[in-house]
Amino acid sequence: MQSNPVRIGTRGSPLALAQAHEVRERLTTALGPDAPAFEIVVIKTSGDRILDRPLAEVGGKGLFTKEIEEALIDGSIDLAVHSSKDMPTALPDGLVLDHFLPREDVRDVFVSTRHRSLADLPEGAVIGTASLRRQALVRRMRPDLQVVTYRGNVQSRLAKLEAGVVDATLLALAGLNRMGMQGVATEVLPLDGFPPAVGQGAIGIESRAGDGRIHALLAAIHDPHTGVCLVAERALLAALDGSCRTPIAGHATLSADGGTLALYGLILTPDGVSAHDGHVTGRPGDAAALGAGLGARLKALGGPDFFADVPGA
């Protein structure tokens, strides 16, 4: 007798669906003849419905996860697929985010139909992005530009760009790669000038703590290198009380032999004028402590009023 299918919860955007299908395909391939049936369940989140206001004004990152996590808790789905950069550091009781696919490219890209690069934008040009990190980084590099909040999925943002609502926008290269749309990128932005969000490029899989059956399935596709990097980055974010109201960048990497973990962190004021950054290296087994330590150091450098002007803070 065939058991009930394993239900994979996801948002309904083209990128979210591409990520959910990738998880299903990897599970099916890794488990082979023993693979159960998998069903993708689309769940509309508050973040998908509320598009006319900045996230910081309406609840932050949790708007993209609340309804999905409720479905996990009540048993309507068995696991949830997320863009790790959308995940708050504090999860609801009984849920864990501890399985990750191999990480994609972490860089951001500049996208414009009329200009070749961020540096090429004329003075006063309008660049749209919903990310406070991207907004602050642009303002640091190009204070002469107009930076506006610009929300929606990749396709809707590109459509508004084509319609001339803005002169340019910024997107994650990982998402474009996953949808086969990398040709949209006008310029790939360098990591040294434009470091990524915590978790950028990593698909995270959330599940119920103690669900041995699901954890055994996910172990077959979990990438431990990505996992340890995300532990460090998310510990950094947690130490900074990071949310959609705080411009923060963080990026961890492992050495080729897997023996050394390096973590970079950056905090900025929303106007991009003030910034503090730092590096730390250590053993992968100390990932959480390394992230927390760097976060505490950056928080001390910034002082208690560093994010005072952040909307909603």
Side-chain angles (χ1 to χ4, degrees):
M1 182 176 176
Q2 189 172 14
S3 61
N4 292 330
V6 174
R7 295 156 301 177
I8 301 172
T10 178
R11 295 166 61 200
S13 72
L15 175 56
L17 288 171
Q19 294 180 161
H21 282 282
E22 181 175 345
V23 169
R24 183 174 67 179
E25 289 162 10
R26 284 179 179 268
L27 283 166
T28 300
T29 300
L31 298 169
D34 297 325
F38 294 100
E39 176 188 355
I40 291 177
V41 179
V42 174
I43 298 170
K44 191 157 191 176
T45 69
S46 301
D48 298 311
R49 289 192 294 267
I50 304 171
L51 296 174
D52 59 343
R53 284 167 284 170
L55 287 178
E57 294 180 6
V58 289
K61 291 183 179 182
L63 288 178
F64 290 120
T65 60
K66 179 175 179 287
E67 288 83 357
I68 296 174
E69 290 176 331
E70 288 171 349
L72 257 182
I73 291 167
D74 70 23
S76 301
I77 58 174
D78 301 299
L79 57 96
V81 178
H82 301 284
S83 294
S84 295
K85 69 175 182 176
D86 290 339
M87 295 298 290
T89 54
L91 303 180
D93 289 343
L95 300 184
V96 291
L97 180 74
D98 55 3
H99 292 88
F100 302 90
L101 297 191
R103 198 170 201 171
E104 247 285 1
D105 199 310
V106 303
R107 292 174 295 176
D108 286 308
V109 297
F110 170 86
V111 183
S112 178
T113 57
R114 290 175 288 175
H115 306 285
R116 295 171 297 174
S117 67
L118 181 58
D120 191 47
L121 281 175
E123 182 177 347
V126 179
I127 186 165
T129 173
S131 160
L132 287 189
R133 173 189 61 88
R134 289 172 179 154
Q135 291 178 0
L137 287 169
V138 168
R139 287 174 176 138
R140 181 169 71 159
M141 296 172 68
R142 292 289 309 274
D144 58 300
L145 299 179
Q146 296 182 57
V147 183
V148 299
T149 298
Y150 187 71
R151 289 192 53 211
N153 64 36
V154 170
Q155 284 72 15
S156 65
R157 279 184 270 176
L158 291 175
K160 288 191 285 186
L161 174 65
E162 191 71 33
V165 175
V166 294
D167 296 300
T169 189
L170 301 168
L171 298 170
L173 180 55
L176 296 178
N177 285 343
R178 289 193 175 108
M179 292 186 290
M181 296 174 59
Q182 49 268 58
V184 164
T186 310
E187 176 192 24
V188 178
L189 298 171
L191 287 176
D192 57 355
F194 224 91
V198 163
Q200 186 153 314
I203 294 175
I205 307 171
E206 190 178 21
S207 57
R208 290 181 289 273
D211 191 334
R213 177 187 176 229
I214 296 301
H215 291 186
L217 297 177
L218 295 178
I221 61 170
H222 173 63
D223 182 66
H225 282 201
T226 301
V228 75
C229 289
L230 266 288
V231 167
E233 291 178 21
R234 287 175 61 77
L236 165 75
L237 193 63
L240 290 165
D241 301 320
S243 72
C244 276
R245 297 187 306 228
T246 49
I248 295 167
H251 183 215
T253 56
L254 273 177
S255 60
D257 63 3
T260 302
L261 178 70
L263 175 65
Y264 172 78
L266 168 71
I267 58 174
L268 308 98
T269 50
D271 59 11
V273 172
S274 298
H276 298 282
D277 67 352
H279 290 87
V280 65
T281 59
R283 298 179 305 175
D286 297 327
L290 291 169
L294 180 57
R297 192 200 315 167
L298 292 176
K299 195 170 186 177
L301 285 171
D305 299 323
F306 191 77
F307 294 121
D309 295 329
V310 177

